[in-house]
Amino acid sequence: MGTTLVYGQKNNTIWMDDLSIRTFSEGIPAVLAKTSGSGEAIRMKGITYSRGIGVNGTSVLSFLLNGNASAFSAVVGVDDMGMKGLPYRFYVIGDRKILFESGDMKWGDQPRMLNVNLTGIKRLGLLVLVEQGITKTYSNWADAKFIMKDEQMPLNIPNTDERIILTPVAGTQPKINSAAVFGARPGNPFLYTIAATGERPLVFSASNLPDGLQVDAKTGIITGKVLERGVYTVTLKAKNSSGESVKQLRIKIGDTIALTPPMGWNGWNSWARAIDQEKVMASADAMVKMGLANHGWTYINIDDAWQGQRGGKYNAIQPNEKFPSFKQMTDYIHSLGLKLGVYSTPWISSYAGYPGGSSNLEHGFFPDAVRDNKRAFRYIGKYSFEKEDAMQMAEWGVDYLKYDWRIEVPSAERMSVALKNSGRDIFYSISNSAPFSNVKDWVRLTNSYRTGPDIRDSWLSLYVSAFTLDKWSPYGGPGHWNDPDMMILGNVTTGSPLHPTRLTPDEQYSHVSLFSLLAAPLLIGCPIEQLDAFTLNLLTNDEVIAVNQDALGRPARLVGEENGVQIWLKQLENKEYAIGLFNIDGYTKTPQSYFRWGDEKPVSFTLDLTKIGLKGKYTIRDVWRQKNLGEFEGTFNTGIRHHGVVMIRLTAHQSTKH
């Protein structure tokens, strides 16, 4: 920081790399201070810069200046470690006006110096545009600095929009919220919990259960084993002093599990490497105490950093010292009616530097030298241990495996076979950035496959992760789900210490709506015990969840985009439909669209039902408000907030023919 005196006013030089720069970034890979996106020194055209910010991919940096800045300067260009032949474009945008545009720049081009007058500018955006989906596209804002008035500093764009709770509070009467279908393999342990709201105590029952299953009347937990293949129609009941709820459940005993997307929690975006047994058990307790389990939330998934050395009767990965009683922990989670997930990788070292599923040593020992140089061991070793690890997981009672990182088909197949032969139904999820070219293999081998990079709590990341999934939609369905990654609600640790999600309230409604329409896995990515009333309400709307858990299992399709509004249509069972109308406001269409300027307004939108193939009369219901809006034919008009959504469910009138 430096100080100058201009016309009696003290001006401060604020270097951008002295700021907590990650808090200003909406990019997907992390931005790095005084370092290029590759982790090396900032270097362009052979010149090394000691100061600046390195970015990777499309980068969005937003600053609140409130007229307290007079200038911004930097040297911009492609890092010497960047991608050759790819066009990069740099923008400086103030209050919606483009103040600097680089034009196309490529690797090897001379860096460009810029000095922009910021007098009177309230909001500033720094944007680097490159083709989405390409990695290692390193570029730089070298020697980047602001000239600020007096003692002022660049600030974060505020996220202070009112957090309006739309969903009514559940009543005292019982209501069963479980999905209408559940799959298990013959002879494997069966665990299913009847999810129900209503004043406790509830008394549960399940009539016409197949031989081998029994229900606990106090908890609604159904356990046992079913030997005979078939489809069994079971009548579930939940009763209290206020009334009774009845729902039909189809139990399908066969080769396919995961007939609806999984719902649960993953610990990475909550605790990252700091996860331990105490935090996992506290999360399971919170899943029940906060009432999430009553709405169908089931999985408690441990991500990376639980793994210790190989051992035990299978010579499998054992828990490290942070998990002293792994089997007892698993049994406790099952006693709550919940399920447990773990993480592994076919690599020698996991992403976080813990033992993986292969080794260059015959017995799989994990030396300290590997941990100390983990990046060098992110590959598949000479010896693989899929069968051993799968058998150990089954013996512990594990219900879910997240298999990381950028899995290729042979590794996916080896673990798929091992899990199916383990004697337990273990949901199999591969992560991340599964190549679309192999989608038919992912459908054949896995229960879910990550369709893109790790998600971050920004609209850019949500857009890339979810709003671009239409091409994947035909492949998702019962037993194999398109996975855009964890949910970015509540307090998250994506790229910086634990902080409230940077999605606006309207963006959060869009987030949950689109994930539900896409039939995506719903995995909470924040500490459950820290959920506030607004976030808990987002996660416990049973009509929204029902769209996600619909037994037809058909992901929504993008059927239109008009006037900045995307129309996503999902066919449901019983010839019903769910529609999401998302006001994306032309996002990605202009450089200005990547930023929030504080003057955004709702839009009025008219949906032409006939254009999307829905002819006739429909009863339309607002699923967030759980309120019927009336009968409509031909068109439906509504207001939609900026980056917000109107999510509706359509039931055909008796006179409507399909």
Side-chain angles (χ1 to χ4, degrees):
M1 180 184 296
T3 303
T4 58
L5 197 65
V6 180
Y7 303 115
Q9 173 184 283
K10 186 172 68 174
N11 288 335
N12 291 326
T13 298
I14 306 296
W15 293 90
M16 198 158 71
D17 54 37
D18 283 337
L19 300 172
S20 298
I21 194 61
R22 290 189 178 188
T23 67
F24 295 87
S25 170
E26 290 206 4
I28 299 171
V31 294
L32 298 175
K34 303 177 184 176
T35 307
S36 80
S38 68
E40 305 292 333
I42 294 174
R43 187 176 293 107
M44 296 182 289
K45 198 71 173 175
I47 300 173
T48 299
Y49 297 80
S50 61
R51 308 217 64 159
I53 298 295
V55 303
N56 187 359
T58 293
S59 174
V60 177
L61 292 162
S62 303
F63 303 89
L64 182 67
L65 301 178
N66 281 332
N68 292 316
S70 58
F72 171 76
S73 60
V75 180
V76 299
V78 182
D79 193 85
D80 286 354
M81 298 287 287
M83 182 74 67
K84 296 180 180 180
L86 189 71
Y88 299 65
R89 192 178 287 262
F90 296 79
Y91 294 89
V92 178
I93 308 169
D95 297 339
R96 292 189 181 271
K97 297 179 181 178
I98 295 177
L99 307 178
F100 169 82
E101 179 179 358
S102 69
D104 285 350
M105 297 185 70
K106 295 185 178 181
W107 184 91
D109 286 354
Q110 192 70 34
R112 290 191 59 180
M113 297 183 65
L114 63 96
N115 196 323
V116 177
N117 185 343
L118 297 182
T119 302
I121 296 296
K122 294 180 180 179
R123 297 193 180 199
L124 183 74
L126 304 182
L127 175 67
V128 182
L129 288 181
V130 295
E131 185 177 342
Q132 287 289 358
I134 299 179
T135 59
K136 300 181 180 180
T137 57
Y138 309 128
S139 58
N140 304 307
W141 299 90
D143 289 345
K145 59 188 176 184
F146 295 92
I147 306 299
M148 304 294 298
K149 298 176 183 177
D150 300 321
E151 300 297 325
Q152 300 295 324
M153 296 285 289
L155 303 174
N156 294 111
I157 299 295
N159 188 3
T160 54
D161 292 354
E162 185 180 2
R163 302 197 302 167
I164 301 171
I165 291 178
L166 299 179
T167 304
V169 177
T172 59
Q173 287 197 325
K175 180 177 177 292
I176 296 176
N177 303 309
S178 304
V181 63
F182 183 78
R185 296 190 180 102
N188 285 359
F190 186 102
L191 176 61
Y192 176 92
T193 301
I194 303 171
T197 46
E199 188 176 17
R200 264 49 185 178
L202 288 171
V203 178
F204 296 93
S205 64
S207 57
N208 300 320
L209 281 173
D211 289 343
L213 297 186
Q214 52 280 328
V215 61
D216 186 311
K218 293 182 179 180
T219 64
I221 300 173
I222 301 174
T223 55
K225 293 182 180 181
V226 183
L227 299 180
E228 295 295 327
R229 293 173 177 266
V231 179
Y232 303 86
T233 301
V234 177
T235 301
L236 305 177
K237 292 184 180 179
K239 186 176 182 179
N240 67 9
S241 58
S242 299
E244 182 179 72
S245 177
V246 180
K247 186 168 186 175
Q248 300 298 310
L249 169 68
R250 297 192 303 277
I251 295 177
K252 296 185 176 183
I253 304 299
D255 296 323
T256 305
I257 63 171
L259 299 181
T260 60
M263 296 174 58
W265 172 84
N266 179 287
W268 185 257
N269 284 351
S270 299
W271 307 116
R273 294 165 179 82
I275 193 72
D276 58 31
Q277 183 170 310
E278 184 178 353
K279 292 184 177 72
V280 172
M281 295 179 72
S283 300
D285 286 334
M287 185 82 83
V288 175
K289 291 176 181 176
M290 300 289 281
L292 289 164
N294 301 334
H295 299 271
W297 298 91
T298 300
Y299 289 95
I300 299 292
N301 291 348
I302 308 167
D303 210 283
D304 203 352
W306 70 272
Q307 313 94 298
Q309 291 289 356
R310 292 191 170 276
K313 71 179 183 180
Y314 299 111
N315 191 34
I317 295 173
Q318 299 298 300
N320 58 38
E321 66 282 356
K322 297 189 294 178
F323 293 86
S325 307
F326 203 89
K327 181 65 166 68
Q328 291 89 328
M329 176 189 69
T330 306
D331 290 344
Y332 176 73
I333 289 170
H334 288 163
S335 75
L336 300 176
L338 305 177
K339 298 182 178 182
L340 177 79
V342 297
Y343 169 104
S344 191
T345 173
W347 289 352
I348 296 172
S349 171
S350 73
Y351 184 78
Y354 290 82
S358 68
S359 176
N360 288 331
L361 303 175
E362 185 175 1
H363 296 290
F365 181 74
F366 191 77
D368 289 342
V370 175
R371 186 185 306 277
D372 295 340
N373 193 21
K374 60 188 178 185
R375 286 178 177 268
F377 291 91
R378 290 176 181 171
Y379 64 90
I380 298 168
K382 182 178 179 181
Y383 301 97
S384 292
F385 300 92
E386 290 90 358
K387 180 179 179 181
E388 293 84 348
D389 290 342
M391 293 300 293
Q392 180 67 83
M393 289 182 227
E395 185 171 285
W396 283 331
V398 168
D399 305 289
Y400 187 113
L401 171 65
K402 175 181 176 179
Y403 210 45
D404 207 20
W405 202 70
R406 298 191 178 178
I407 308 299
E408 27 60 67
V409 172
S411 291
E413 185 146 25
R414 288 195 303 272
M415 183 53 83
S416 178
V417 171
L419 292 174
K420 288 175 181 176
N421 291 334
S422 71
R424 187 170 184 85
D425 293 346
I426 299 177
F427 186 99
Y428 181 33
S429 167
I430 61 167
S431 175
N432 63 36
S433 300
F436 180 72
S437 58
N438 296 117
V439 65
K440 292 182 179 178
D441 289 308
W442 314 138
V443 167
R444 173 176 63 91
L445 297 172
T446 76
N447 299 122
S448 70
Y449 36 90
R450 278 278 304 282
T451 51
D454 289 347
I455 200 168
R456 297 288 184 263
D457 58 312
S458 71
W459 180 255
L460 171 63
S461 183
L462 178 63
Y463 183 86
V464 170
S465 295
F467 283 91
T468 59
L469 283 194
D470 184 60
K471 72 176 183 179
W472 292 84
S473 289
Y475 300 96
H480 45 89
W481 305 103
N482 303 320
D483 178 11
D485 202 8
M486 289 170 274
M487 306 183 80
I488 41 176
L489 305 170
N491 295 326
V492 294
T493 59
T494 55
S496 58
L498 201 65
H499 61 276
T501 180
R502 292 177 298 168
L503 294 183
T504 68
D506 288 305
E507 290 169 351
Q508 292 178 60
Y509 275 111
S510 291
H511 175 18
V512 180
S513 299
L514 188 54
F515 271 44
S516 296
L517 288 161
L518 290 171
L522 300 180
L523 294 175
I524 299 166
C526 63
I528 303 173
E529 60 273 22
Q530 296 180 16
L531 289 174
D532 57 25
F534 175 78
T535 311
L536 187 62
N537 192 261
L538 285 173
L539 297 170
T540 54
N541 182 311
D542 295 307
E543 295 190 21
V544 175
I545 291 172
V547 171
N548 175 265
Q549 295 288 296
D550 182 73
L552 187 62
R554 189 169 294 177
R557 299 303 307 270
L558 177 60
V559 295
E561 184 171 343
E562 301 174 12
N563 302 321
V565 174
Q566 285 193 356
I567 306 162
W568 289 80
L569 173 68
K570 176 179 171 66
Q571 185 177 348
L572 306 174
E573 265 201 322
N574 305 321
K575 296 183 179 179
E576 292 188 290
Y577 298 89
I579 294 176
L581 304 174
F582 297 89
N583 176 15
I584 66 169
D585 193 25
Y587 193 70
T588 75
K589 300 293 193 299
T590 66
Q592 292 91 333
S593 69
Y594 285 87
F595 301 91
R596 277 194 295 126
W597 301 107
D599 57 0
E600 292 82 3
K601 293 179 174 59
V603 297
S604 178
F605 182 74
T606 299
L607 171 66
D608 188 334
L609 294 168
T610 61
K611 266 190 180 181
I612 58 175
L614 301 182
K615 298 179 180 179
K617 188 178 292 185
Y618 291 86
T619 297
I620 293 184
R621 183 171 177 83
D622 183 325
V623 293
W624 277 111
R625 293 176 173 83
Q626 299 184 351
K627 176 183 178 182
N628 282 341
L629 302 178
E631 291 187 346
F632 296 81
E633 184 173 7
T635 61
F636 168 74
N637 183 264
T638 185
I640 317 172
R641 293 170 64 90
H642 178 256
H643 285 184
V645 61
V646 169
M647 186 175 176
I648 53 179
R649 185 168 183 139
L650 288 76
T651 304
H653 194 268
Q654 289 184 350
S655 62
T656 295
K657 296 182 180 180
H658 296 274

